[in-house]
Amino acid sequence: MTLLPWTFLLPLAGTLILSLSRGRLSPRASSVVGVTSVGLAALVAAWVGWRFLASGETSIDMTLWTWVTVGDFRPTIGLHLDGLSLTLMGIITGVGFLIHLFAAWYMQDEAGRLRFFAYMNLFVFSMLLLVLGDNVLLLYLGWEGVGLCSYLLIGYYFETAANGWAAFKAFIITRLGDVFLAIGLFLMFRELGTLDITEILARAPDVWAEGAWQAQVASLLILGGALGKSAQLPLHTWLADAMAGPTPVSALIHAATMVTAGVYLIARLHGVFELAPAVLYLVGVIGALTLLLAGFAALAQTDIKRVLAYSTMSQIGYMFLALGVGAYDAAIFHLMTHAFFKALLFLSAGSVIVCTHHEQDMRRLGGLWRKLPLTYAGFVIGGAALSALPLVSAGFFSKDEILWQELASGHGGLMLAGLVGAFLTSLYTLRLIIGTFHGEPGSDNARHAEPGRGPVHGLPLVVLAVLSTFIGAWIHPPLEGVLPAGPGADAHGAGHTVLGVVAALVSLGGLVVAAWLFLRRQRWLAERVAGGWEARLWWFWNQAWGFDIAYDRLFVRPYRWLVRLLRSDVIDRALLLPAWLSWALHRGLSLTQSGKLRLYATTMAAGATLILLVLVLGG
Amino acid sequence: MTLLWLILIPFIGGLLCWQAERFGPMPPRWIALGTMLIELLITLGLWFQGEYHLANAGTASEAVRWSMEWRVPWIPRFGIDVHLALDGLSLVLIALTGFLGMLAVLCSWNEIVKRVGFFHLNLLWILGGVVGVFLSIDLFLFFFFWEMMLVPMYFLIALWGHSGSEGRTRIRAATKFFIYTQASGLLMLVSILGLVFVHHANTGEYSFDYATLMQTSLSESTAMWLMLGFFVAFAVKLPVVPVHGWLPDAHAQAPTAGSVDLAGILLKTAAYGMLRFALPLFPDASQAFAPVAMTLGVIGIFYGAILACGQQDMKRLIAYTSIAHMGFVLIGIYAGTELALQGVVLMMVAHAFSAAGLFILSGQLYERLNTRDMRQMGGLWGRLGSLPGFSLCFVAASLGMPGTANFLGEFLILFGSFPVAPGFVVVASFGFVLAAVYSLLLMQRVYFGPAQGEGVFADLDRREYLMMLSLVGLVLLFGLYPQPLLDTTGAAMGEVQRLFGVVSQSTTLLLTGAP
C-alpha cells in the first residue's frame, strides 16, 4: 500500500527528467523515459490494486502532508483508494501505458518528442491526483492540471496558429466550467465546513434536507464543472477542435481519461446530488440531449478524428444518462469499456493517419482494408463495441446496463433517447469504417499506404482489441459499497431480456441501414446532400448545430469589441484631464506673454477701464 | 539594533556601489548582490530564531505585540520617535525584498551598462526605503520612508528606462509615477496629521506612535475621512482602478530591475499599509467602507484583465495583469477573515514571484529580440531554448494553476471571503476565466504560430537559468507547502483580524444580505 504514491510520482519523475534535461536527451531516449515511467506506474498500480482487493477493505486513506492549515481550513495532500478510484487508476495507468507505447511509434519522426512525453507524463500525474485525491481541493489540482496538459498537447504542433487557438478554446471553455466548480467548493466549505470528500458525503445529508436550495445550488455548480470537462451541452464545443493534437493525445485525454473526469466527479460526489433530485434528473436530460446532438453531428463529419470526437461526446452522454437515474455503477462500467474501445479506435485512426502520410479526411481515404489489415481489425472491433454489437462486444454489455437502468427507474423518455442514440451510433460507425477502408482510395496518399510495423505499433492495438470484446466486459469495477446500487440492480427479469433484445435489434438495424445506405445507395446519398434542404441540414450537422457560430456572436465578438473599446485605458485618459487642463492654461497664459508692446498697452488700458467701471458702477 | 541595520545595510551598500564604479562596472554589481544577500540572510536568521506563531497567545488587552522592537526619540517635541518593530508580516515582506533585490541586481547584470554605480545606488535605496516602510511603526517615520522610496524609483525610470511608442517617453512615465504617488502620499500626510491633532485634542499630547494612536477615539465621520486619506494613498500604490494609470506606463518604460521591484515589492507596500494602518487604525470606518473597497477590487479584476487582453506591448500586458491580481488582494483585505488575510499574504508573495518572473522573462526576450511588441513575435517556441518553458510556468502561475502559490493565494482569499461576501466572491471568480484568456493570449502571440524568422536565439545562460529555476521552485514550494510562511504571518494576521473583526458581526449582515 505504501507504494501508492509511486503511481503518480513515477510519471512526475518522467516529466522532471525530461524537462530538466535541457535538450541533453536524444528523442529516442526521451521516448524511452516517457514510456517507461508510465509503464512502471502501471505495474505499481496493478500491484497496489491486487493487494487492495486481496485485503478486502472498502477504502484506504493515506495522508502525505497537510497542504494548508488556517483555522478549520485544512486540506491535505492525501490519497483515498477505493473501488472507484482503483478502477480509474487502472484505466489511467493501463490504457495510458498502451497509448504511451503506441505514441512512441506514432511520434517516431517528430523531433520534439521530449516535449510531447513530458506533457503526457505530466498529464498522467495530474489525472491520477484527480482520482486519488481525498479532498476536493486536491481533486481540483488534478482537475486543472489535466486541463493544462490538454491545452499544451492540443497545441503541440504550435507552428500552425489554428492549433494554438483550438487549445486556447479548449482551455477557456473548460475553465468556465471550472469556475462553477470552484464556487461550488466555496459553498460546500461554508456550509459543511470541510473539504474532505468522505466527510462531505457523510455531513451533507445531516446539514441539508433533500431538495434544500444549498444542495441544489452546490450540485448545479459541480455539474457546471463536469459539463465543461466532459464536453457536454452547452460547454461541449471545444472537443471537436481539440482533435488538432496528436492522435495518441486524443486517445488518452479526449477519449479514455480526462473527458470522463466529469462522470467521475459526479459519481464521487453522488451524495450531494442525491439531495438534489431535480439536478440529478437534469444530468440525465443533458446526457440525453448531448448524445443525440453529437450523434447527428458525427454523421456529417468527414474528418475521421472529428467523427470519433463527436462519438466520444455522445458516449459520455450515455454515462450522464446513467448518472441521471442514479445508476452510478453503470456509468462507471461504460466509462471503462468506452476507455478500451475508444482508445482502440483512436489508436487505429492514428495508425491510418501515419500509414497514409497524414491523411485524415474520409474523402481522401478509402480502400485501405487490404493494405492495413491490423488497423482495419482494430477499427472493426472498436466499431463493433462502439455500436454495441450484441454479445460479442464489450460495449453491448455496458450500454445494455445503462438502458435497463433507465427503464427500471421509470424514465422511459431517457431510455428512448438512448435507443435512438444507439441507432445513430451504428449509422455513423459503419459510415466511418466504410468511408475509411472500403471503396476506392481518394488520394495518392491512400493508394500508397504502408502498414505500421513492429510490436510498439501492434501490441497496444491487439491488447485494446481484446479488451474491447466481451472479454473486457468480464472486468467488473469493484464498486460495491462505494457507490449506491442503481435503481434496477435487483430486478433482472424478463423486462431486461426484452430490452436487451430490442437494443440488439436497434443496433443491428442501424448497421444494416448503414450498410445499405453507404454501400448500395452511396451515389444517391451524395446527390441528395449536394443541394437543397438536405445540403443545409448536412451543413448544420457538420457545424454541430451551429453552437460555435452562436457563441462567437454572443460572447467572443462582444468581448473583442469591449477589449478594443477599452484598449487605450479610458479611465486613465479621463484622469489625465487635470494634466491636460493645466497644460491648456499654461498655453493660454503664455500666449499673452507675446512681447508685443501694442498688445500689452491695449490689455492694460482695457484692464484699467474695466476696474474703473467696476468701481464706478459698484460704488 | 538589528532592525536599524536592516534599513541601513541597503543604504550603505548603495553608497559603496556608487563609489565602486571607479573600479569598473563589475564591483558595483557584486557589492549590490552581496548587500541584498546579507539582507536576506539576516532576515532568514531572524526567522530561524524567532517564534512568530506563538505571539498570538497574547491577550486582547495588550494592543500590539511585536517580535522585535527598537526605539529612540527623534523629535520629542512632537512625539516623533524612530520606532521600528518587526512581526511575522514585516519579516516575510523584508525577506521578499531581499530576495527580489538580488534578482533585480542579477537581471540587470547585462542590461545596464551606463552609470552602473549610480544605478545600483538607486536600486538599493529603493529597497532600503521599502524595508523602512515595512519596519516603521511611527507614522511620521513611515511617511518619511514612504516618500523616500519614490525618488530613486523616479531616477531609475527616467535615467535607465525605455521609451515606448505614441509619445510614451520614460521621462513622462517617471513624472506620472511621481505625481500620482506623491499627491496621494500628501493625502496620507494630511490624514496622519489629522489623526495626531485629534489625539492631541483628546489627550493634550502629541504622538505619532502607532499603538498610542490606535487608542484614539474618533467620531464616525472623522474616522471615515482620515481612513479615506490612508486608503487613497495605498489605493494608488496597490493600484486600484481608477487610480492605476501610472502603473502600466511606469512598468513598460522602467528597466527590468525597476519592473521587478515595482511589481514585486512596491505594490506590496500598499497592501502592507492597508493591513498595518488603514484597517487597525480605523476598524469601524474600514468595515463600513468594505463594500466599496470590494467593489473596486472586483472592478480592478475585470478592468485589468480586459485591458491586458488588448495590449500589444508585453510589459504593459503584464502590468495590467498585476492590477487584476491586486483586485483579489483588495477583496481579501476587506473581507478581513483570517483565511482571507492569510490568502492575501500568500498572494502577495506569489504575485511577487510570478510577476517578477514574467518581467525578467520579458527583459530576456528584449535582450534577444530588441522588441516588446508582441505583433513582431510569434512562433518563438522552438527558437529560444528553455525560455519558453519558463514562460509557460509563470503564465500558468499567473492564471492560477493549482500547485502554484498563486492558486493557493487566490483560493484562500476566495474561500475566506465567501462567508462574508458571497456575491463579490462569485463575481470575482469569473475573473479566473479572463485570467486564462490574457495569460494564454500571451503564450499564443509570443510563442505559437508560424515562426517570424530563421535561426535560433541564444539559450539562457547559467545566471538566467538559475534565476528562473529558483523562482519556479519557490512558486511551486509555496504552492504545495505554504505552511512555514503561513505560520510566520499567522499571529500578525490574527491580530489584524481581531482588530478589524470586532465590528464584523454587524456588517456581515450588511454585506451578505442574509444571515
Side-chain angles (χ1 to χ4, degrees), chain A residues 86-303:
Chain A
L86 178 66
T87 311
L88 269 291
M89 182 173 82
I91 295 170
I92 295 159
T93 55
V95 177
F97 166 66
L98 293 172
I99 293 171
H100 272 73
L101 192 61
F102 186 84
W105 174 81
Y106 186 88
M107 305 296 287
Q108 58 191 344
D109 298 326
E110 289 288 332
R113 262 179 284 171
L114 187 147
R115 190 159 58 90
F116 177 81
F117 279 107
Y119 295 161
M120 287 286 268
N121 281 357
L122 187 63
F123 171 80
V124 173
F125 163 77
S126 315
M127 190 71 205
L128 284 169
L129 276 186
L130 197 170
V131 299
L132 287 174
D134 72 349
N135 64 79
V136 278
L137 206 64
L138 190 57
L139 185 152
Y140 194 83
L141 187 149
W143 187 267
E144 290 279 306
V146 293
L148 180 69
C149 297
S150 163
Y151 165 79
L152 294 170
L153 285 162
I154 295 169
Y156 174 74
Y157 299 117
F158 62 85
E159 297 91 344
T160 313
N163 295 344
W165 290 117
F168 183 82
K169 180 177 172 185
F171 194 88
I172 300 301
I173 293 180
T174 49
R175 194 93 212 263
L176 186 61
D178 298 351
V179 167
F180 287 111
L181 177 59
I183 299 171
L185 303 192
F186 303 149
L187 180 65
M188 284 200 292
F189 179 70
R190 186 186 78 174
E191 296 286 318
L192 306 174
T194 180
L195 291 169
D196 187 273
I197 292 173
T198 319
E199 284 185 36
I200 286 176
L201 295 183
R203 282 187 204 175
D206 300 337
V207 179
W208 293 329
E210 189 171 312
W213 71 266
Q214 292 96 331
Q216 307 254 20
V217 173
S219 41
L220 264 180
L221 289 166
I222 298 166
L223 174 62
L227 293 181
K229 211 56 138 191
S230 289
Q232 299 292 293
L233 231 51
L235 298 179
H236 63 288
T237 56
W238 61 272
L239 186 60
D241 292 332
M243 296 297 121
T247 312
V249 172
S250 315
L252 179 62
I253 300 181
H254 305 120
T257 52
M258 185 192 84
V259 283
T260 54
V263 180
Y264 167 80
L265 180 70
I266 294 177
R268 183 50 96 197
L269 294 172
H270 60 87
V272 181
F273 283 84
E274 297 275 305
L275 297 172
V279 179
L280 197 58
Y281 181 65
L282 181 68
V283 174
V285 172
I286 287 175
L289 283 175
T290 311
L291 83 88
L292 290 176
L293 293 186
F296 282 111
L299 263 180
Q301 304 301 319
T302 56
D303 184 317

Side-chain angles (χ1 to χ4, degrees), chain B residues 244-464:
Chain B
H244 63 282
W246 62 272
L247 180 92
D249 288 339
H251 266 315
Q253 262 66 264
T256 307
S259 301
V260 169
D261 280 353
L262 264 179
I265 316 165
L266 253 65
L267 305 191
K268 275 71 201 177
T269 58
Y272 171 83
M274 289 184 186
L275 291 171
R276 177 71 81 217
F277 296 105
L279 260 58
L281 288 178
F282 314 100
D284 300 84
S286 300
Q287 197 58 260
F289 187 66
V292 181
M294 285 191 187
T295 311
L296 289 175
V298 169
I299 292 174
I301 291 173
F302 284 90
Y303 191 76
I306 292 172
L307 266 110
C309 294
Q311 302 306 314
Q312 313 288 5
D313 183 325
M314 195 168 166
K315 280 178 92 176
R316 284 185 82 84
L317 191 156
I318 304 167
Y320 279 108
T321 69
S322 288
I323 297 177
H325 286 133
M326 289 304 117
F328 282 101
V329 168
L330 194 60
I331 291 177
I333 290 175
Y334 279 89
T337 63
E338 193 190 357
L339 190 54
L341 291 173
Q342 288 283 45
V344 166
V345 173
L346 197 52
M347 183 73 199
M348 289 201 281
V349 174
H351 176 262
F353 292 147
S354 69
L358 281 171
F359 277 122
I360 294 175
L361 281 166
S362 62
Q364 291 170 349
L365 267 178
Y366 186 81
E367 282 176 28
R368 286 164 177 78
L369 300 167
N370 277 319
T371 182
R372 292 192 316 261
D373 190 337
M374 289 191 289
R375 284 169 297 191
Q376 294 174 28
M377 299 184 191
L380 288 173
W381 188 286
R383 303 170 64 201
L384 282 166
S386 41
L387 203 151
F390 282 119
S391 302
L392 179 66
C393 294
F394 291 113
V395 161
S398 101
L399 64 78
M401 184 55 54
T404 64
N406 302 59
F407 162 76
L408 223 46
E410 282 165 8
F411 261 53
L412 291 191
I413 290 174
L414 295 179
F415 267 112
S417 308
F418 190 77
V420 191
F424 287 111
V425 170
V426 168
V427 179
S429 301
F430 284 91
F432 284 134
V433 179
L434 297 188
V437 172
Y438 63 66
S439 305
L440 298 185
L441 270 179
L442 177 77
M443 286 307 286
Q444 177 78 21
R445 288 190 186 151
V446 177
Y447 295 111
F448 296 162
Q452 304 265 357
E454 292 292 311
V456 292
F457 297 96
D459 197 353
L460 298 181
D461 60 30
R462 185 175 298 166
R463 170 183 60 91
E464 295 170 317

